[in-house]
Amino acid sequence: MKPVCPFAKVARPDDGSLKKPSGNKQHPACEAKSKPESTESATISPKCPLGYDSETFKIGPFSCMICKALLFECSKCIPCSHVYCKACISRFNDCPLCGADIESTEADTNLQSVVDRFIEGHARIKRQVDTEGNEVVGEKKTVIYEDVSLERGTFLVQHAMRAFRANNVESAKSRLNLCAEDIREQLGRLGNTSELCSQLGAVLGMLGDCCRATGDASSAVSHFEESVNFLSKVSADDLEIKHTLSISLNKIGDLKYYAEDLEAARSYYIQALDMRQNAMKHPSSVPSQSIDVAVSLAKVADVDRNLGNENAAIDEFQEGIKLLESLKLNPEEAGLEQKRLSVLDFLNKEVAKKPTNSTS
């Protein structure tokens, strides 16, 4: 199949998954709006005027060879003139493309301006088509105008994830912030729909991860808390959303724990634990949810031990052990079995520890 621009209309996945994209599955922030049904008019998928290809990421001179994402803070190497993202090239003494010694670097504002216009252009692609699906030029016919502003999320999240994996965190944050702005604009016009709330919650969670990676704990907590706020607006029956919500709660708890605010950490861990235990009661519960509950029990128990509540901690560690020991997995679930054994080993070691301070 011929690759198409990521802003072409696509169907919304049935499961509303918030998992990291794999294969052809799309991140919720990448999901497109459904087309309006009409028997009297037609639509045609927009095409990137600059030839962007979502499958091969062919964006020519607009991409950074190092992080494979769109250029951010373009930096030109002197004397070879090859251009990379500023954060990427800062880790090199020689040009990755030609091997020349880098004597210095300078900002390439002209190229960066083109890249920025390229990004903005994808939010404004419109085409006019007639009832037979043919593009209309200067004729008055019944048409639908294609506005792909929301689908720009596909484009932005793809490049944010690429940049983040390459440790170009500022680039990732820039793209995610643009994506969040787009979704907030949609929320302002359409209200808090489940689709938009789940999309914004996912993007805010990714922004939290970016801030956490740079050591900005305060901003990370702020993004995770806002992510929790929007994800909480989504239907309680959406187990994938609830799983992601529990992860965000645990991440806030972790940051509070490292900041030595143990009571606050415990509060967030308990919320995540309750959510995961409730999910296990759902008819469609899966083995991975039992492991998630055991992980949450370990977090709560660890905080209780640090707060001096040793008896409570031991009970929680043992509850996690009992849950994992009773969990039977199929041979093809090797990855889950490895995680089960890892968590079980941790819990057993914690139970065997002698308390240093307790109020038991």
Side-chain angles (χ1 to χ4, degrees), residues 77-82 92-103:
C77 296
I78 305 299
C80 68
S81 296
H82 290 128
F92 290 82
N93 294 318
D94 302 327
C95 175
L97 186 61
C98 68
D101 290 340
I102 300 175
E103 297 176 4

Side-chain angles (χ1 to χ4, degrees), residues 305 310 314 317-318 321 345-355:
R305 171 169 283 172
E310 184 64 20
I314 292 297
F317 282 133
Q318 290 179 337
I321 291 171
D345 179 62
F346 172 82
L347 292 170
N348 280 315
K349 288 179 178 177
E350 290 301 308
V351 169
K353 282 184 180 179
K354 293 183 179 180

